[in-house]
Amino acid sequence: AQLPPTAATRPAGGVFMGGPPTRDRGKLEGAELFRAQAVAFAIFLAEHEGREFLGALTDRLLSGEPAASALASASTLPDELEAIEKAWKEWMVKQER
């Protein structure tokens, strides 16, 4: 399968690489929302556990390890996925300030 060509009005990388959003900035949906959440979660993990943890986590996930198991190796984050999500959401609120 091939990816569709990048539109001339939207550089590769989209919003996070300087491209214009396809909708109003305050309302991300679909793939754009997923990308924004993924980037924010990666930054959250790197800030709490370090960049090395983020790399190791990626390796573990790519090898097929379940997310709950891979995240269990974190030293500062809660053990339960729901608690990690809560901590991430609280961190996101603080970033808005």
Side-chain angles (χ1 to χ4, degrees):
Q2 291 184 327
L3 295 173
T6 303
T9 59
R10 186 176 179 117
V15 174
F16 301 108
M17 299 302 289
T22 57
R23 290 178 271 296
D24 295 336
R25 278 205 176 274
K27 189 174 184 181
L28 296 178
E29 297 175 347
E32 287 181 338
L33 177 60
F34 175 80
R35 283 191 297 272
Q37 290 173 331
V39 168
F41 190 62
I43 293 169
F44 166 79
L45 289 176
E47 284 187 11
H48 283 79
E49 296 293 326
R51 296 170 102 185
E52 295 81 13
F53 174 81
L54 187 57
L57 176 69
T58 301
D59 290 343
R60 293 171 80 169
L61 293 172
L62 289 174
S63 72
E65 187 172 342
S69 172
L71 285 166
S73 64
S75 59
T76 66
L77 295 176
D79 292 335
E80 301 292 322
L81 288 178
E82 292 81 11
I84 292 173
E85 182 179 14
K86 182 177 184 272
W88 172 58
K89 287 180 178 180
E90 290 169 356
W91 175 85
M92 293 273 292
V93 169
K94 291 177 186 173
Q95 302 310 304
E96 292 179 355
R97 298 179 190 158

PDB file of all heavy atoms in Angstrom, residues 47-71:
ATOM      1  N   GLU A  47       9.066  13.316  30.640  1.00  0.00           N
ATOM      2  CA  GLU A  47       9.288  14.209  31.776  1.00  0.00           C
ATOM      3  C   GLU A  47       9.263  13.453  33.103  1.00  0.00           C
ATOM      4  O   GLU A  47       9.998  13.792  34.020  1.00  0.00           O
ATOM      5  CB  GLU A  47       8.241  15.324  31.805  1.00  0.00           C
ATOM      6  CG  GLU A  47       8.492  16.401  30.783  1.00  0.00           C
ATOM      7  CD  GLU A  47       7.544  17.578  30.923  1.00  0.00           C
ATOM      8  OE1 GLU A  47       6.806  17.677  31.937  1.00  0.00           O
ATOM      9  OE2 GLU A  47       7.540  18.409  30.012  1.00  0.00           O
ATOM     10  N   HIS A  48       8.418  12.441  33.216  1.00  0.00           N
ATOM     11  CA  HIS A  48       8.287  11.714  34.477  1.00  0.00           C
ATOM     12  C   HIS A  48       9.302  10.582  34.623  1.00  0.00           C
ATOM     13  O   HIS A  48       9.776  10.321  35.730  1.00  0.00           O
ATOM     14  CB  HIS A  48       6.865  11.158  34.624  1.00  0.00           C
ATOM     15  CG  HIS A  48       5.889  12.196  35.026  1.00  0.00           C
ATOM     16  ND1 HIS A  48       5.356  13.096  34.127  1.00  0.00           N
ATOM     17  CD2 HIS A  48       5.368  12.506  36.225  1.00  0.00           C
ATOM     18  CE1 HIS A  48       4.541  13.903  34.772  1.00  0.00           C
ATOM     19  NE2 HIS A  48       4.528  13.576  36.046  1.00  0.00           N
ATOM     20  N   GLU A  49       9.612   9.906  33.550  1.00  0.00           N
ATOM     21  CA  GLU A  49      10.455   8.712  33.630  1.00  0.00           C
ATOM     22  C   GLU A  49      11.794   8.856  32.916  1.00  0.00           C
ATOM     23  O   GLU A  49      12.668   8.021  33.085  1.00  0.00           O
ATOM     24  CB  GLU A  49       9.711   7.510  33.036  1.00  0.00           C
ATOM     25  CG  GLU A  49       8.464   7.133  33.800  1.00  0.00           C
ATOM     26  CD  GLU A  49       8.763   6.596  35.198  1.00  0.00           C
ATOM     27  OE1 GLU A  49       9.798   5.932  35.395  1.00  0.00           O
ATOM     28  OE2 GLU A  49       7.947   6.855  36.093  1.00  0.00           O
ATOM     29  N   GLY A  50      11.930   9.855  32.084  1.00  0.00           N
ATOM     30  CA  GLY A  50      13.159  10.057  31.331  1.00  0.00           C
ATOM     31  C   GLY A  50      13.040   9.556  29.900  1.00  0.00           C
ATOM     32  O   GLY A  50      12.207   8.702  29.590  1.00  0.00           O
ATOM     33  N   ARG A  51      13.881  10.100  29.060  1.00  0.00           N
ATOM     34  CA  ARG A  51      13.841   9.743  27.643  1.00  0.00           C
ATOM     35  C   ARG A  51      14.226   8.293  27.404  1.00  0.00           C
ATOM     36  O   ARG A  51      13.725   7.648  26.500  1.00  0.00           O
ATOM     37  CB  ARG A  51      14.763  10.672  26.857  1.00  0.00           C
ATOM     38  CG  ARG A  51      14.293  12.110  26.904  1.00  0.00           C
ATOM     39  CD  ARG A  51      15.327  13.031  26.352  1.00  0.00           C
ATOM     40  NE  ARG A  51      14.929  13.400  25.009  1.00  0.00           N
ATOM     41  CZ  ARG A  51      15.661  14.115  24.205  1.00  0.00           C
ATOM     42  NH1 ARG A  51      16.849  14.533  24.570  1.00  0.00           N
ATOM     43  NH2 ARG A  51      15.215  14.413  23.008  1.00  0.00           N
ATOM     44  N   GLU A  52      15.112   7.774  28.225  1.00  0.00           N
ATOM     45  CA  GLU A  52      15.529   6.383  28.066  1.00  0.00           C
ATOM     46  C   GLU A  52      14.342   5.441  28.290  1.00  0.00           C
ATOM     47  O   GLU A  52      14.189   4.450  27.587  1.00  0.00           O
ATOM     48  CB  GLU A  52      16.664   6.032  29.043  1.00  0.00           C
ATOM     49  CG  GLU A  52      17.942   6.783  28.783  1.00  0.00           C
ATOM     50  CD  GLU A  52      17.939   8.197  29.363  1.00  0.00           C
ATOM     51  OE1 GLU A  52      17.041   8.541  30.181  1.00  0.00           O
ATOM     52  OE2 GLU A  52      18.815   8.988  28.979  1.00  0.00           O
ATOM     53  N   PHE A  53      13.507   5.772  29.275  1.00  0.00           N
ATOM     54  CA  PHE A  53      12.320   4.961  29.533  1.00  0.00           C
ATOM     55  C   PHE A  53      11.398   4.981  28.320  1.00  0.00           C
ATOM     56  O   PHE A  53      10.855   3.941  27.926  1.00  0.00           O
ATOM     57  CB  PHE A  53      11.567   5.474  30.766  1.00  0.00           C
ATOM     58  CG  PHE A  53      10.255   4.770  30.982  1.00  0.00           C
ATOM     59  CD1 PHE A  53      10.216   3.530  31.601  1.00  0.00           C
ATOM     60  CD2 PHE A  53       9.061   5.333  30.555  1.00  0.00           C
ATOM     61  CE1 PHE A  53       9.014   2.863  31.792  1.00  0.00           C
ATOM     62  CE2 PHE A  53       7.858   4.673  30.741  1.00  0.00           C
ATOM     63  CZ  PHE A  53       7.829   3.443  31.357  1.00  0.00           C
ATOM     64  N   LEU A  54      11.244   6.137  27.735  1.00  0.00           N
ATOM     65  CA  LEU A  54      10.368   6.253  26.569  1.00  0.00           C
ATOM     66  C   LEU A  54      10.871   5.371  25.429  1.00  0.00           C
ATOM     67  O   LEU A  54      10.089   4.671  24.786  1.00  0.00           O
ATOM     68  CB  LEU A  54      10.268   7.716  26.122  1.00  0.00           C
ATOM     69  CG  LEU A  54       9.267   8.040  25.038  1.00  0.00           C
ATOM     70  CD1 LEU A  54       7.858   7.617  25.421  1.00  0.00           C
ATOM     71  CD2 LEU A  54       9.295   9.536  24.744  1.00  0.00           C
ATOM     72  N   GLY A  55      12.162   5.359  25.198  1.00  0.00           N
ATOM     73  CA  GLY A  55      12.733   4.492  24.173  1.00  0.00           C
ATOM     74  C   GLY A  55      12.557   3.018  24.490  1.00  0.00           C
ATOM     75  O   GLY A  55      12.179   2.212  23.633  1.00  0.00           O
ATOM     76  N   ALA A  56      12.811   2.654  25.756  1.00  0.00           N
ATOM     77  CA  ALA A  56      12.652   1.256  26.173  1.00  0.00           C
ATOM     78  C   ALA A  56      11.189   0.831  26.079  1.00  0.00           C
ATOM     79  O   ALA A  56      10.883  -0.293  25.653  1.00  0.00           O
ATOM     80  CB  ALA A  56      13.170   1.071  27.594  1.00  0.00           C
ATOM     81  N   LEU A  57      10.289   1.734  26.461  1.00  0.00           N
ATOM     82  CA  LEU A  57       8.854   1.442  26.372  1.00  0.00           C
ATOM     83  C   LEU A  57       8.451   1.192  24.919  1.00  0.00           C
ATOM     84  O   LEU A  57       7.734   0.229  24.620  1.00  0.00           O
ATOM     85  CB  LEU A  57       8.048   2.603  26.954  1.00  0.00           C
ATOM     86  CG  LEU A  57       6.531   2.482  26.852  1.00  0.00           C
ATOM     87  CD1 LEU A  57       6.022   1.365  27.754  1.00  0.00           C
ATOM     88  CD2 LEU A  57       5.880   3.806  27.213  1.00  0.00           C
ATOM     89  N   THR A  58       8.929   2.019  24.032  1.00  0.00           N
ATOM     90  CA  THR A  58       8.630   1.847  22.607  1.00  0.00           C
ATOM     91  C   THR A  58       9.125   0.497  22.114  1.00  0.00           C
ATOM     92  O   THR A  58       8.402  -0.224  21.421  1.00  0.00           O
ATOM     93  CB  THR A  58       9.254   2.988  21.783  1.00  0.00           C
ATOM     94  OG1 THR A  58       8.734   4.234  22.258  1.00  0.00           O
ATOM     95  CG2 THR A  58       8.961   2.841  20.306  1.00  0.00           C
ATOM     96  N   ASP A  59      10.342   0.132  22.480  1.00  0.00           N
ATOM     97  CA  ASP A  59      10.889  -1.170  22.081  1.00  0.00           C
ATOM     98  C   ASP A  59      10.023  -2.312  22.602  1.00  0.00           C
ATOM     99  O   ASP A  59       9.739  -3.271  21.879  1.00  0.00           O
ATOM    100  CB  ASP A  59      12.320  -1.342  22.600  1.00  0.00           C
ATOM    101  CG  ASP A  59      13.323  -0.438  21.895  1.00  0.00           C
ATOM    102  OD1 ASP A  59      12.993   0.083  20.802  1.00  0.00           O
ATOM    103  OD2 ASP A  59      14.417  -0.248  22.452  1.00  0.00           O
ATOM    104  N   ARG A  60       9.600  -2.215  23.850  1.00  0.00           N
ATOM    105  CA  ARG A  60       8.791  -3.276  24.445  1.00  0.00           C
ATOM    106  C   ARG A  60       7.435  -3.396  23.743  1.00  0.00           C
ATOM    107  O   ARG A  60       6.955  -4.500  23.483  1.00  0.00           O
ATOM    108  CB  ARG A  60       8.621  -3.014  25.936  1.00  0.00           C
ATOM    109  CG  ARG A  60       9.937  -3.144  26.689  1.00  0.00           C
ATOM    110  CD  ARG A  60       9.822  -2.690  28.109  1.00  0.00           C
ATOM    111  NE  ARG A  60       9.216  -3.759  28.899  1.00  0.00           N
ATOM    112  CZ  ARG A  60       9.176  -3.750  30.205  1.00  0.00           C
ATOM    113  NH1 ARG A  60       9.685  -2.736  30.888  1.00  0.00           N
ATOM    114  NH2 ARG A  60       8.626  -4.754  30.865  1.00  0.00           N
ATOM    115  N   LEU A  61       6.817  -2.243  23.451  1.00  0.00           N
ATOM    116  CA  LEU A  61       5.520  -2.263  22.780  1.00  0.00           C
ATOM    117  C   LEU A  61       5.641  -2.818  21.363  1.00  0.00           C
ATOM    118  O   LEU A  61       4.801  -3.598  20.917  1.00  0.00           O
ATOM    119  CB  LEU A  61       4.901  -0.869  22.761  1.00  0.00           C
ATOM    120  CG  LEU A  61       4.498  -0.299  24.123  1.00  0.00           C
ATOM    121  CD1 LEU A  61       4.090   1.160  23.987  1.00  0.00           C
ATOM    122  CD2 LEU A  61       3.405  -1.120  24.765  1.00  0.00           C
ATOM    123  N   LEU A  62       6.704  -2.424  20.665  1.00  0.00           N
ATOM    124  CA  LEU A  62       6.909  -2.915  19.300  1.00  0.00           C
ATOM    125  C   LEU A  62       7.206  -4.411  19.263  1.00  0.00           C
ATOM    126  O   LEU A  62       6.938  -5.067  18.265  1.00  0.00           O
ATOM    127  CB  LEU A  62       8.031  -2.131  18.613  1.00  0.00           C
ATOM    128  CG  LEU A  62       7.693  -0.691  18.248  1.00  0.00           C
ATOM    129  CD1 LEU A  62       8.927   0.028  17.711  1.00  0.00           C
ATOM    130  CD2 LEU A  62       6.549  -0.627  17.247  1.00  0.00           C
ATOM    131  N   SER A  63       7.728  -4.946  20.362  1.00  0.00           N
ATOM    132  CA  SER A  63       7.996  -6.385  20.409  1.00  0.00           C
ATOM    133  C   SER A  63       6.739  -7.175  20.774  1.00  0.00           C
ATOM    134  O   SER A  63       6.780  -8.400  20.814  1.00  0.00           O
ATOM    135  CB  SER A  63       9.119  -6.686  21.401  1.00  0.00           C
ATOM    136  OG  SER A  63       8.662  -6.522  22.734  1.00  0.00           O
ATOM    137  N   GLY A  64       5.633  -6.474  21.038  1.00  0.00           N
ATOM    138  CA  GLY A  64       4.369  -7.151  21.296  1.00  0.00           C
ATOM    139  C   GLY A  64       3.947  -7.207  22.749  1.00  0.00           C
ATOM    140  O   GLY A  64       2.908  -7.773  23.081  1.00  0.00           O
ATOM    141  N   GLU A  65       4.732  -6.609  23.624  1.00  0.00           N
ATOM    142  CA  GLU A  65       4.370  -6.622  25.037  1.00  0.00           C
ATOM    143  C   GLU A  65       3.138  -5.743  25.267  1.00  0.00           C
ATOM    144  O   GLU A  65       3.034  -4.659  24.692  1.00  0.00           O
ATOM    145  CB  GLU A  65       5.544  -6.098  25.873  1.00  0.00           C
ATOM    146  CG  GLU A  65       5.337  -6.221  27.353  1.00  0.00           C
ATOM    147  CD  GLU A  65       6.594  -5.887  28.150  1.00  0.00           C
ATOM    148  OE1 GLU A  65       7.704  -5.892  27.583  1.00  0.00           O
ATOM    149  OE2 GLU A  65       6.439  -5.629  29.352  1.00  0.00           O
ATOM    150  N   PRO A  66       2.213  -6.179  26.095  1.00  0.00           N
ATOM    151  CA  PRO A  66       1.030  -5.363  26.391  1.00  0.00           C
ATOM    152  C   PRO A  66       1.422  -4.052  27.086  1.00  0.00           C
ATOM    153  O   PRO A  66       2.392  -4.009  27.855  1.00  0.00           O
ATOM    154  CB  PRO A  66       0.203  -6.231  27.337  1.00  0.00           C
ATOM    155  CG  PRO A  66       0.732  -7.616  27.179  1.00  0.00           C
ATOM    156  CD  PRO A  66       2.160  -7.486  26.755  1.00  0.00           C
ATOM    157  N   ALA A  67       0.672  -3.000  26.831  1.00  0.00           N
ATOM    158  CA  ALA A  67       0.975  -1.679  27.387  1.00  0.00           C
ATOM    159  C   ALA A  67       1.027  -1.706  28.910  1.00  0.00           C
ATOM    160  O   ALA A  67       1.930  -1.112  29.510  1.00  0.00           O
ATOM    161  CB  ALA A  67      -0.047  -0.658  26.899  1.00  0.00           C
ATOM    162  N   ALA A  68       0.081  -2.382  29.542  1.00  0.00           N
ATOM    163  CA  ALA A  68       0.055  -2.423  31.008  1.00  0.00           C
ATOM    164  C   ALA A  68       1.343  -3.025  31.565  1.00  0.00           C
ATOM    165  O   ALA A  68       1.908  -2.528  32.535  1.00  0.00           O
ATOM    166  CB  ALA A  68      -1.158  -3.204  31.492  1.00  0.00           C
ATOM    167  N   SER A  69       1.821  -4.071  30.934  1.00  0.00           N
ATOM    168  CA  SER A  69       3.048  -4.724  31.376  1.00  0.00           C
ATOM    169  C   SER A  69       4.263  -3.829  31.126  1.00  0.00           C
ATOM    170  O   SER A  69       5.138  -3.695  31.984  1.00  0.00           O
ATOM    171  CB  SER A  69       3.205  -6.048  30.634  1.00  0.00           C
ATOM    172  OG  SER A  69       4.458  -6.618  30.891  1.00  0.00           O
ATOM    173  N   ALA A  70       4.322  -3.221  29.963  1.00  0.00           N
ATOM    174  CA  ALA A  70       5.458  -2.362  29.618  1.00  0.00           C
ATOM    175  C   ALA A  70       5.512  -1.130  30.522  1.00  0.00           C
ATOM    176  O   ALA A  70       6.585  -0.717  30.953  1.00  0.00           O
ATOM    177  CB  ALA A  70       5.370  -1.946  28.152  1.00  0.00           C
ATOM    178  N   LEU A  71       4.364  -0.561  30.831  1.00  0.00           N
ATOM    179  CA  LEU A  71       4.322   0.619  31.695  1.00  0.00           C
ATOM    180  C   LEU A  71       4.605   0.285  33.157  1.00  0.00           C
ATOM    181  O   LEU A  71       4.975   1.160  33.937  1.00  0.00           O
ATOM    182  CB  LEU A  71       2.964   1.313  31.579  1.00  0.00           C
ATOM    183  CG  LEU A  71       2.743   2.106  30.296  1.00  0.00           C
ATOM    184  CD1 LEU A  71       1.272   2.451  30.122  1.00  0.00           C
ATOM    185  CD2 LEU A  71       3.602   3.362  30.287  1.00  0.00           C
TER     186      LEU A  71
END
